[in-house]
């Protein structure tokens, strides 16, 4: 309608205010000729309604399509996502309430989302959320591991939060079901396993990520044996550059002492322990450049591991067929 009016979208990663912005400019487009508005997501492109200049639409980098309508009373645009649910966003982790199978949490690049029953997804945190864990017996209490070096905790269903600085990104969280104040987290930058005995208020490092070649790596997963809370596993390795192999470690005394399992010199990203038989375990492995063996299985509690991915489409049998305690 008015080709003199220009719109621009950007995000400045070097500024003190890194909130994504949309600007509306008029001639001569000088410093004082732009109205600046904050938005929830960085826009890759913009489109303006051709008939009246309002609304405008933004294609978000992480949260899908937004529609913005100008509110003259507020002097700002009101933005709403117009894609359903939490489509068009990177999801790092999902947690299911142990007390309610219809209560979900999703940790995403653009924050923590919650869904209850047939309701819609609601965002509880705007911070990049990498890991999640519900309290084993209290649906109102859950933890969120952030890309920022913090573990976030709520005891009132997300209304209020407390934050503990843990020194690195929180990639995974494990809670002792027999003593719920005992929490293990897997962190990176630097790679370490940390333990709390006071419900996440304070942490101490119990294991550092150093492989058999002396190279440091990040921890990606920590898991507690469902049949023995003193039996803890931790796996790591650098999925992205700088690419470094890791190991799967185990502790039989609640994190005091650690030793390598038979799964060594691989990048361990995920671990599942069969709740019916703790000797049966599955490890998700691999790096960002492709994996020789993406899934390993152990039937003896982690001493020996064999590939276990036949039938998954698009994967080629790897070079390393068996990893053992002497491998």
């Amino acid at each position: 309608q008015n080709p003199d009016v220009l719109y621009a979208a950007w995000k400045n990663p070097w500024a003190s205010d890194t909130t994504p912005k949309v600007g509306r400019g008029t001639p001569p487009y000088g410093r004082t000729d732009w109205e600046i508005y904050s938005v929830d997501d960085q826009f890759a492109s913009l489109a303006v309604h051709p008939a009246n200049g309002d609304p405008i639409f933004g294609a978000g980098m992480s949260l899908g399509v937004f529609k913005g309508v100008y509110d003259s009373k507020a002097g700002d645009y009101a933005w709403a996502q117009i894609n359903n649910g939490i489509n068009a966003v990177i999801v790092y982790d999902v947690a299911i309430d142990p007390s309610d199978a219809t209560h979900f949490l999703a940790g995403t690049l653009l924050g923590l989302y919650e869904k209850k029953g047939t309701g819609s997804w609601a965002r509880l945190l705007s911070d990049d959320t990498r890991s999640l864990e519900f309290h084993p017996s209290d649906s109102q209490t859950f933890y969120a591991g952030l890309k920022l070096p913090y573990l976030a905790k709520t005891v009132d269903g997300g209304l209020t939060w407390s934050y503990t600085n843990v020194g690195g990104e929180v990639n995974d969280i494990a809670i002792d079901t027999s003593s719920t104040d005992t929490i293990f987290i897997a962190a990176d930058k630097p790679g370490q396993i940390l333990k709390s005995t006071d419900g996440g208020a304070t942490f101490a490092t119990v294991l550092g990520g150093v492989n058999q070649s002396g190279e440091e790596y990040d921890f990606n997963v920590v898991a507690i044996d469902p049949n023995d809370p003193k039996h803890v596993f931790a796996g790591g390795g650098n999925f992205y550059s700088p690419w470094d192999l890791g190991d799967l470690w185990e502790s039989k005394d609640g994190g005091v002492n650690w030793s390598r399992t038979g799964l060594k010199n691989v990048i361990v990203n995920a671990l599942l322990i069969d709740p019916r038989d703790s000797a049966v375990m599955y490890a998700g492995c691999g790096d960002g450049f492709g994996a020789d063996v993406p899934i390993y299985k152990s039937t003896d509690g982690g001493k020996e591991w064999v590939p276990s991915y036949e039938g998954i489409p698009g994967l080629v049998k790897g070079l390393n067929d068996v990893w053992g305690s002497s491998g």
Side-chain angles (χ1 to χ4, degrees), residues 37-190:
Y37 307 98
S38 297
V39 292
D40 287 336
D41 195 6
Q42 181 179 355
F43 291 163
S45 63
L46 291 168
V48 183
H49 194 287
N52 55 20
D54 194 25
I56 58 177
F57 299 86
M61 298 285 284
S62 304
L63 289 174
V65 181
F66 285 78
K67 178 181 180 180
V69 177
Y70 188 74
D71 184 340
S72 58
K73 292 183 179 180
D76 199 356
Y77 277 90
W79 294 95
Q81 289 176 257
I82 56 175
N83 46 276
N84 293 328
I86 53 172
N87 294 333
V89 64
I90 297 173
V91 179
Y92 293 108
D93 197 13
V94 173
I96 304 174
D97 186 342
S99 304
D100 181 0
T102 66
H103 183 195
F104 300 91
L105 298 175
T108 80
L109 179 68
L110 264 293
L112 167 60
Y113 286 81
E114 179 185 48
K115 189 177 189 298
K116 294 182 178 180
T118 58
S120 301
W121 289 96
R123 188 161 68 163
L124 303 182
L125 285 176
S126 59
D127 301 287
D128 187 338
T129 304
R130 299 303 176 94
S131 54
L132 297 165
E133 191 70 27
F134 273 102
H135 187 283
S137 58
D138 180 4
S139 299
Q140 293 292 100
T141 298
F142 42 88
Y143 299 83
L146 308 181
K147 182 180 180 181
L148 297 172
Y150 292 95
L151 179 72
K153 177 183 180 181
T154 181
V155 296
D156 54 16
L159 296 176
T160 60
W161 294 85
S162 59
Y163 298 86
T164 302
N165 190 328
V166 295
E169 298 177 16
V170 183
N171 292 328
D172 200 17
I173 308 166
I175 302 176
D176 184 344
T177 57
S178 66
S179 177
T180 55
D181 280 341
T182 299
I183 303 169
F184 291 88
I185 62 172
D188 62 16
K189 300 178 182 59

Side-chain angles (χ1 to χ4, degrees), residues 184 195 207 223-225 227-234 249-262 281 300-303:
F184 291 88
K195 179 181 179 180
L207 179 64
I224 300 174
D225 185 338
N227 300 302
D228 180 2
K230 294 294 184 181
H231 198 191
V232 186
F233 292 87
W249 296 77
E250 72 173 326
S251 172
K252 297 181 179 180
D253 54 13
V256 178
N257 297 289
W258 295 84
S259 60
R260 289 182 173 90
T261 69
M281 305 167 64
D300 59 6
K303 297 180 180 65

